[in-house]
Amino acid sequence: MSSTRRLAPAAPRSRRRLLLGLLAVFLLLLAAGVAGLYWVDYDLRHPKADSGRPGAWMTVDRDEVSGFAHVTVPVSAEDVRWGYQNGFQDDFAVLAFRIPQGELEQYKSSLPASEWTDRQYVQQVDLDGFQHIGAPSPSAASPLTCGGFYTPGKAKNIGTRICLTSRSDGTSQVWVSAFHTP
């Protein structure tokens, strides 16, 4: 008697391995694609400084920010900080400084703000800008006296908000934020 061995076909096994290999390659490519999209999206949401892209903080001098906001920084000002963000449609500028307590009323009267009010908070968009320039947070100061004004511009008006508070060291902290308005 002759014994015949019957060998199992090798095709289904190698086909299974091939399919598993292709599935693994597909999953790796999918993961790389998702990671790439996240990287591109992150770069769009957080543009590099001075890139000129919307949302980028630009290197400008103090006088440019002061001119944009239509607010003069007094000669006696200390710890002056400023920043300018290039927007998609509207640019945004922040300015923070301290002045001697005795000059506060004179400085307030030199500003074209129509109405000064006491408040306990500052809008989040302003807080982000002050945090970016390393200025003390106005949300930690209380009470705040705030006012604002609009200045006609070439294509858009400029809205300026100013908040002031007294400090225990005999100075007054001033926060200014300005933005294009429709």
Side-chain angles (χ1 to χ4, degrees):
M1 259 177 116
S2 87
S3 76
T4 56
R5 288 174 129 181
R6 204 166 170 197
L7 296 173
R13 219 177 202 180
S14 35
R15 186 176 300 148
R16 198 174 315 149
R17 284 184 183 162
L18 178 64
L19 287 175
L20 286 174
L22 288 174
L23 181 63
V25 167
F26 173 75
L27 290 175
L28 285 173
L29 289 174
L30 182 65
V34 168
L37 287 175
Y38 177 78
W39 176 75
V40 167
D41 186 50
Y42 181 86
D43 191 44
L44 289 174
R45 287 181 287 130
H46 301 92
K48 291 184 168 87
D50 287 331
S51 66
R53 293 186 37 226
W57 286 93
M58 305 300 290
T59 302
V60 297
D61 65 21
R62 172 176 117 171
D63 294 333
E64 287 181 77
V65 172
S66 179
F68 179 83
H70 298 282
V71 171
T72 303
V73 178
V75 176
S76 61
E78 301 172 359
D79 193 25
V80 181
R81 298 169 186 258
W82 64 92
Y84 186 88
Q85 188 176 38
N86 189 29
F88 175 68
Q89 292 179 337
D90 303 321
D91 294 349
F92 174 63
V94 289
L95 185 62
F97 53 90
R98 292 190 328 255
I99 58 175
Q101 186 70 37
E103 295 179 18
L104 180 61
E105 288 306 316
Q106 180 183 0
Y107 183 70
K108 257 175 73 172
S109 66
S110 73
L111 297 168
S114 57
E115 185 177 315
W116 292 95
T117 58
D118 291 337
R119 57 167 68 160
Q120 300 295 323
Y121 70 94
V122 173
Q123 293 182 357
Q124 184 62 42
V125 66
D126 295 334
L127 292 176
D128 292 343
F130 294 128
Q131 180 182 17
H132 176 78
I133 63 173
S137 175
S139 62
S142 181
L144 291 170
T145 303
C146 298
F149 60 92
Y150 290 97
T151 308
K154 292 178 184 172
K156 295 183 177 185
N157 297 329
I158 307 294
T160 302
R161 289 188 293 253
I162 304 150
C163 290
L164 316 155
T165 193
S166 295
R167 295 172 40 112
S168 61
D169 64 358
T171 62
S172 294
Q173 181 70 46
V174 179
W175 294 276
V176 178
S177 62
F179 53 95
H180 282 130
T181 61

